[in-house]
Structure formats: structure tokens, C-alpha cells
């Protein structure tokens, strides 16, 4: 009997979504009580004192932002932060929060939430547009206060450090908070390969397996767990020898780290140039991407600036964030995608109000519907693009009408800035093609934009009517479905015929199994997770365009993704086995 069988070790196979091995004790993720959030309420005096300290800290931050703006004159930014200082100094905001703490005995955060909700709600209903827009500044000040309050509390024990964190599902913002705690791995009951949380786990290099169902709930916190983010295996209560085996793999993987490169361009053996860009949300991460050979940021998901639903950053905050990401990207530039969120995320509704948010008021539709937010974001991008290489990317464009509506608003904001002597730059405008109608009208769409970006994560979801976040239908989420490949070819051809670039920026672009297909279909611009860059560059430099085209000819006429997958595997094994190391060809790739 082997050692594993002699112990209570239990193995569960689920969906591998982020590579790496994690070994640690099981801890359940506590929604809303991350180690960064407050647990105990102090006396009213303590809470009022915390509020005062937080307000002082906010004022110092705003003064700092104003001083930074003065050395780089942006009159409007200074106005915004001056106004926010005034709100803190002279409005009744602080006294109202203080009164609420004293009356109800709640903590400063709860009092802030109640008072902010009332003020922002009242202000957003005012008839005058400019006064109405002030509710965004009040909300912004409140966000800043909340962040300062969080910073003013004593640090709680970091229960997630080195642990395997189990959750039903995780919001991307919770994931970013978790990262600060440095967990060893993550397991979730729900979530697909292209869920934003899975994408983030890969970006943050946290081993993760999703779709384990309710299994983790049958174990107690503290039990040892191994997460194999490559095979999708989760081992609860592993034997000592299993732990030893996996620890050895961890060490050998550590020494096999990706090497930085001095060559920034990528080309196939037969001299075909492929631009490799990075999907980056955190400016500090781009340095590594560049060292791996990225040529700019192909996708900045601007909704990553929304730390909590409903807390939309003000124009000034956005300008700073966009400048920061553009500065790190340098001459290769950054494509800033406007908020790709739904109405509940925008308003901060705690419970879902839409039955089917994926098909609801979201992305570009939401921008056309809730114009104030969109216009604020556009002004911020236009202004940040002064002396910076920034492009605007509009998400989920389904046809020319909504695109024209968005472009008209961009023009209007440009005129407004010009009329008020506020300097701004000249970003190019791109449309994300990720729904079937966008594919079918891509020839019309491409005439109206400077470039297109193909979002394959959503394209597969909407083309095949498969929820990308639902692991129970993961089997039907087929990236190699003939309809998907035909759509990709259609969009690439539309771009080529119009002389407009097409950037592929879904997860498909960072997967070695799919990249030869994309290149064979004519793609020459790919944007991917930082951790995929080295591997994809190695693959590209070892293959030829000629063979990739031959590969496409071989799959022509195939009827199912299964059939295509088989042809690809055989082709790779025959021609490029050396480019697919470490059992890459063994895994399933639909
Ligand atoms: C996509 O849909 O492919 C994409 C890149 O956008 P997101 O994953 O943010 O929806
Ligand atoms: Mg998308």
C-alpha cells in the first residue's frame, strides 16, 4: 500500500486556472472581513478621534496632490482637489459623521457610509448638472476618508499569509486585497478559466484551482492542502511523502524562472513580426513585462480603479492613475479600456438588481446611459494623454450606432476642454469586438475607429452562450469552436482590408496552444498576462508563419472543437514538440 492510500489524503480534480504549486493550511475567505477591514468598534470618543485623524490624513494627501499638480500645471486638477479640500474643511460632512457616531454608537466607517449615502444620494438628484456632478467629488472624498480610516486601525493578524484560501467565489477587488496577504494558493467553488478572478490570479502569480464545488466545506480550517494550479488537482490532508514530492516540484520550478530579455521585438523563424503587449492593471507590474519583452500595454482594465462597487474615482484621481500607467508604458503606449462594468457595480448596489447582468446595462451601453461617469472618464483620459501615448478602448461594441454615440460624446468633451483652455492630447479610439454582432459588423465598425481589439474571453461566452464564470459549463466553453475561429478570422480580415490594426487581448492570446492558430489566422498583435510573455515569445521565435498557415489549412472544414484540438495536438507533436515542454500538450484545450 502506498503512503497516500495509508493516510486520509483526499484528492479532487477541478479546473486549473493559475499555474504553480501552493502548499498551506486551509483558511476560508471571510467576505467583508478581510484582514484589512476593521473588526471592533471603539467608544464614540475613540471613533471620533479616528475620524479626525483620517480627515487630517486626507487633507495632507490632497495638499500633496495639489502640490504635485502645481509642478505639472493642470489647472482643472488643482480645482478638483481644492474643491475636495473645501468639502472636508467647510462642508458639514465631518460634523454629520461625528454626530452620527455619538447618536448611534456605531464605528466611524459605518457612520461615514450612512452619511455619505444620504449626501451623495441627495446631491445626485439636484437639477443643475454642474452641482449634480459635485456628488462625484463628495463620493470621492468619502472614499478617501474610508481608505484613511482603514489605514488608521491597528493591523489585524494576517490569517491568509501562506494559507490556501478557500472561497465560494472571489471578486477581483477581494483578490487584490488577498494578494497583499500573500496566500500560498486559492481554491474556489465557482469560476471559469476566463473569469476576471482567474485572470488576476495568473497576473498575480497565485496558484489557483476553481470549480471544486462544495468540497472544501467538508474539511475543517487548518487542514493541510496542496493546490496544483497546473493539473487542477487539490489534495486535502496530504501524506508527508506527497508534501515532500510537491515541495520538490516547487523548488525545481523556482529555478526555472523566466529570463528577462534584451530583445524587445518578437518574430517567427521566417521573419514575421508579432507585437507582444501586456495586459496590465498595476503600473508597477509593467517594469517586469517590459523586461520580458512587452511592447506597451495592450489592455488596461480601468475598472480596476474601482476598489469597491460604487466608488468611482473622480476626474482628478483618474487623471493621476492614467498618467501613471502611461508613463510606465512610455512610447509603446497604453490602451485604456473605459469602464467595463454593469449598473450595479457603478451604483454600488449591494444586491443584484438585474436578473442577467452579462446581458444587461453594462460596458458601452452603460456609458451611453450614465453619461456623467463616461464623460468624466473621457475628460480624464483626454487630459492624461497630453504628452502621453494613450488610446481609448471602448468595450463590448455591438454595432455602429452605439459606437457613433460614444465617439460623439468624446468629441463633445474634447470641445468642452478646448473651450475652457484645458490642455489635452489626441488618443486614438479603438473598439473591442467581443459579441457576435460586433464580429458581423466589424467591417463597418473598423471604418469608424483607429483600431480594433478582439476580446476572445467574452467572444467565446457570447458566441456560444456559455457563462465564462460558471465552471459547471466549462466543458462547453470551447475556444476552438469553428464559430469562434471563423469569427476571429473575420475580424482580422476586416481590420486588414481597412488597414487598421487588430489586437487580440483575451486569454487565448497568452496560451501557447492557441497562439499558432491566431498567427495562422493572420494575427500580428497579441496582448497577454505578464506571466505568459516569455513562453509565448519563445514559441513565436521557434515557429514559422508558413507552418501556422498550413495548420489553419489542416483544420479547415473541421466540424467540432474536439476535432480541431486533435489536429492541433498532432501537428504540434509532429513539427514543434520541442516548443511545448512540460506536458503542455497533454492538457485539455478546447
Ligand atoms: C475579453 O473579453 O477577452 C477581454 C479581454 O476583456 P475581459 O476579460 O476584461 O472581459
Ligand atoms: Mg471582455
Amino acid at each position: 500500500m502506498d503512503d497516500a492510500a495509508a493516510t486520509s489524503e483526499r484528492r479532487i480534480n477541478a479546473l486549473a486556472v493559475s499555474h504553480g504549486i501552493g502548499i498551506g493550511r486551509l483558511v476560508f475567505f471571510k467576505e467583508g472581513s478581510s484582514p484589512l477591514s476593521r473588526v471592533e468598534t471603539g467608544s464614540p470618543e475613540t471613533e471620533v478621534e479616528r475620524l479626525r485623524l483620517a480627515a487630517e490624513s486626507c487633507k495632507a494627501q490632497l495638499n500633496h496632490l495639489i502640490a504635485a499638480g502645481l509642478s505639472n500645471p493642470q489647472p482643472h486638477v488643482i480645482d478638483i482637489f481644492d474643491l475636495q479640500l473645501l468639502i472636508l474643511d467647510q462642508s458639514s460632512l465631518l460634523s454629520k459623521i461625528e454626530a452620527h457616531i455619538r447618536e448611534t454608537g456605531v464605528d466611524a466607517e459605518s457612520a461615514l457610509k450612512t452619511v455619505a449615502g444620504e449626501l451623495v444620494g441627495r446631491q445626485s438628484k439636484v437639477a443643475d448638472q454642474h452641482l449634480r456632478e459635485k456628488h462625484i467629488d463628495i463620493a470621492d472624498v468619502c472614499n478617501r476618508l474610508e481608505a484613511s480610516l482603514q489605514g488608521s486601525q491597528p493591523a489585524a493578524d494576517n490569517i491568509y499569509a501562506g494559507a490556501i484560501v478557500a472561497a465560494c467565489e472571489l471578486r477581483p477587488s477581494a483578490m487584490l486585497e488577498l494578494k497583499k496577504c500573500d496566500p500560498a494558493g486559492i481554491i474556489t467553488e465557482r469560476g471559469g478559466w476566463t473569469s476576471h478572478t482567474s485572470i488576476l490570479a495568473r497576473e498575480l502569480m497565485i496558484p489557483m484551482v476553481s470549480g471544486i464545488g462544495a468540497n472544501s466545506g467538508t474539511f475543517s480550517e487548518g487542514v493541510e492542502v496542496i493546490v496544483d494550479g497546473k493539473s487542477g488537482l487539490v489534495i486535502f490532508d496530504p501524506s508527508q511523502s506527497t508534501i515532500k514530492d510537491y515541495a520538490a516540484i516547487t523548488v525545481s520550478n523556482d529555478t526555472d524562472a523566466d529570463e528577462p530579455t534584451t530583445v524587445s521585438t518578437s518574430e517567427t523563424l521566417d521573419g514575421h513580426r508579432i507585437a507582444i503587449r501586456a495586459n496590465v492593471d498595476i503600473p508597477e507590474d509593467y517594469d517586469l513585462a517590459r523586461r520580458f519583452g512587452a511592447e506597451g500595454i495592450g489592455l488596461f482594465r480601468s475598472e480596476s480603479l474601482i476598489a469597491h462597487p460604487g466608488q468611482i474615482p473622480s476626474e482628478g484621481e483618474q487623471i493621476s492613475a492614467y498618467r501613471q500607467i502611461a508613463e510606465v508604458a512610455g512610447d509603446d503606449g497604453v490602451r485604456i479600456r473605459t469602464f467595463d462594468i454593469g449598473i450595479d457595480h457603478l451604483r454600488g448596489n449591494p444586491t443584484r438588481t438585474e436578473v442577467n447582468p452579462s446581458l444587461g446595462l453594462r460596458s458601452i451601453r452603460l456609458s451611453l446611459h450614465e453619461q456623467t461617469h463616461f464623460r468624466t472618464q473621457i475628460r480624464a483620459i483626454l487630459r492624461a494623454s497630453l504628452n502621453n501615448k494613450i488610446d481609448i478602448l471602448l468595450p463590448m461594441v455591438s454595432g455602429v450606432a452605439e459606437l457613433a454615440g460614444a465617439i460623439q460624446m468624446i468629441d463633445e468633451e474634447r470641445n468642452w476642454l478646448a473651450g475652457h483652455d484645458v490642455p489635452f492630447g489626441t488618443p486614438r479610439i479603438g473598439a473591442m469586438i467581443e459579441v457576435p454582432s460586433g464580429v458581423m459588423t466589424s467591417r463597418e465598425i473598423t471604418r469608424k475607429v483607429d483600431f480594433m481589439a478582439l476580446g476572445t474571453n467574452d467572444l467565446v461566452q457570447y458566441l456560444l452562450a456559455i457563462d465564462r464564470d460558471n465552471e459547471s459549463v466549462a466543458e462547453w466553453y470551447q475556444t476552438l469552436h469553428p464559430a469562434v475561429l471563423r469569427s476571429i478570422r473575420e475580424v482580422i480580415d476586416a481590420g486588414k482590408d481597412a488597414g487598421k490594426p487588430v489586437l487580440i487581448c483575451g486569454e487565448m492570446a497568452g496560451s501557447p496552444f492557441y497562439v499558432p492558430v491566431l498567427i495562422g489566422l493572420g494575427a500580428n498583435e497579441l496582448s497577454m498576462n505578464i506571466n505568459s510573455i516569455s513562453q509565448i515569445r519563445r514559441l513565436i521565435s521557434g515557429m514559422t508563419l508558413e507552418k501556422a498557415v498550413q495548420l489553419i489549412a489542416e483544420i479547415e472544414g473541421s466540424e467540432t472543437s474536439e476535432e480541431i484540438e486533435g489536429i492541433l495536438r498532432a501537428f504540434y507533436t509532429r513539427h514543434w514538440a520541442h516548443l511545448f515542454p512540460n506536458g503542455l500538450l497533454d492538457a485539455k484545450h478546447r
Side-chain angles (χ1 to χ4, degrees), residues 427-505:
R428 297 184 311 161
I429 298 175
M432 274 197 84
I433 306 295
E434 40 191 351
V435 297
S437 58
V439 172
M440 288 168 153
T441 53
S442 53
R443 288 179 186 273
E444 289 82 357
I445 288 173
T446 195
R447 276 189 229 122
K448 294 220 168 317
V449 291
D450 301 303
F451 68 101
M452 290 190 288
L454 240 171
T456 55
N457 303 336
D458 275 320
L459 183 64
V460 177
Q461 159 166 268
Y462 291 112
L463 207 49
L464 306 182
I466 291 294
D467 182 351
R468 64 191 260 194
D469 293 328
N470 183 347
E471 76 299 331
S472 58
V473 287
E475 197 185 325
W476 287 275
Y477 186 94
Q478 295 167 352
T479 304
L480 294 174
H481 192 292
V484 173
L485 301 189
R486 225 172 275 169
S487 299
I488 293 173
R489 190 200 303 261
E490 172 57 21
V491 177
I492 291 174
D493 286 352
K496 283 214 168 113
D497 292 349
K500 306 275 173 75
V502 178
L503 169 79
I504 320 282
C505 62

Side-chain angles (χ1 to χ4, degrees), residues 79 85-86 161 185 189 277 282 468 578:
D79 288 352
L85 262 183
L86 268 179
E189 293 183 13
R277 313 203 192 283
I282 304 165
R468 64 191 260 194
H578 62 291

Side-chain angles (χ1 to χ4, degrees), residues 35-324:
L36 303 176
S37 62
R38 189 174 164 73
V39 182
E40 279 173 27
T41 305
S43 69
E45 277 320 310
T46 316
E47 293 302 307
V48 168
E49 185 53 23
R50 286 183 62 233
L51 175 69
R52 286 196 189 129
L53 285 174
E56 287 313 313
S57 153
C58 286
K59 286 180 202 167
Q61 291 165 24
L62 288 166
N63 280 319
H64 179 77
L65 285 167
I66 293 169
L70 283 172
S71 61
N72 183 7
Q74 293 289 329
H76 197 62
V77 179
I78 298 170
D79 288 352
I80 291 164
F81 293 137
D82 272 338
L83 171 71
Q84 297 196 358
L85 262 183
L86 268 179
I87 293 172
L88 269 176
D89 264 337
Q90 292 179 16
S91 77
S92 52
L93 176 69
L94 291 177
S95 54
K96 281 198 166 111
I97 302 173
E98 192 174 322
H100 195 77
I101 294 173
R102 292 192 194 284
E103 275 161 26
T104 61
V106 295
D107 62 14
E109 284 89 345
S110 309
L112 166 65
K113 270 201 187 90
T114 309
V115 172
E118 283 167 10
L119 279 180
V120 172
R122 203 178 311 144
Q123 193 78 21
S124 64
K125 293 192 186 81
V126 172
D128 178 275
Q129 175 170 1
H130 277 280
L131 276 180
R132 195 168 58 239
E133 285 183 9
K134 294 285 170 294
H135 84 271
I136 299 174
D137 289 294
I138 298 175
D140 198 34
V141 169
C142 293
N143 289 349
R144 193 179 287 283
L145 257 180
E146 193 182 355
S148 297
L149 278 169
Q150 300 277 332
S152 72
Q153 74 197 30
D157 281 348
N158 180 356
I159 53 167
Y160 300 127
I164 300 298
V165 182
C168 175
E169 56 186 341
L170 280 170
R171 283 176 296 108
S173 53
M175 186 80 174
L176 284 174
E177 271 202 10
L178 253 187
K179 172 65 185 169
K180 295 181 201 156
C181 307
D182 208 12
I186 293 177
I187 48 180
T188 58
E189 293 183 13
R190 301 203 52 211
W193 183 63
T194 60
S195 296
H196 277 160
T197 309
S198 308
I199 294 173
L200 260 178
R202 292 194 282 279
E203 191 170 325
L204 300 171
M205 296 170 103
I206 307 175
M208 174 168 163
V209 170
S210 77
I212 63 159
N215 285 302
S216 60
T218 60
F219 290 88
S220 321
E221 273 201 338
V223 70
E224 194 90 25
V225 183
I226 296 174
V227 172
D228 182 344
K230 192 168 181 187
S231 69
L233 187 64
V234 179
I235 309 173
F236 292 91
D237 209 1
S239 69
Q240 281 312 311
S241 82
T242 307
I243 294 178
K244 228 166 106 200
D245 292 348
Y246 271 94
I249 301 175
T250 316
V251 171
S252 76
N253 281 355
D254 281 351
T255 53
D256 194 24
D258 287 331
E259 287 295 326
T261 174
T262 49
V263 188
S264 65
T265 56
S266 293
E267 63 180 47
T268 57
L269 278 176
D270 49 354
H272 182 69
R273 271 267 287 132
I274 307 285
I276 302 287
R277 313 203 192 283
N279 295 347
V280 171
D281 296 333
I282 304 165
E284 298 78 51
D285 289 354
Y286 182 67
D287 183 48
L288 184 63
R290 196 182 40 73
R291 282 191 278 134
F292 285 156
E295 301 173 66
I297 298 172
L299 178 64
F300 172 74
R301 294 175 164 102
S302 68
E303 62 275 12
S304 63
L305 301 176
I306 306 172
H308 296 283
Q311 296 182 357
I312 310 299
S314 69
E315 186 173 333
E317 301 252 328
Q318 290 187 51
I319 293 173
S320 309
Y322 301 150
R323 280 212 193 108
Q324 213 189 339

Side-chain angles (χ1 to χ4, degrees), residues 480 513 516-517 547 550-551 554-555 561-578 580 584-587 589:
L480 294 174
F513 201 81
V517 178
K547 275 260 169 307
Q550 192 183 318
L551 168 67
E554 287 200 17
I555 60 177
S561 60
E562 211 175 341
E563 202 182 325
I564 295 175
E565 185 190 12
I567 296 173
L568 295 188
R569 190 167 281 120
F571 192 96
Y572 297 157
T573 309
R574 210 168 344 122
H575 300 287
W576 297 325
H578 62 291
F580 290 87
L584 233 166
L585 289 178
D586 304 336
H589 292 93

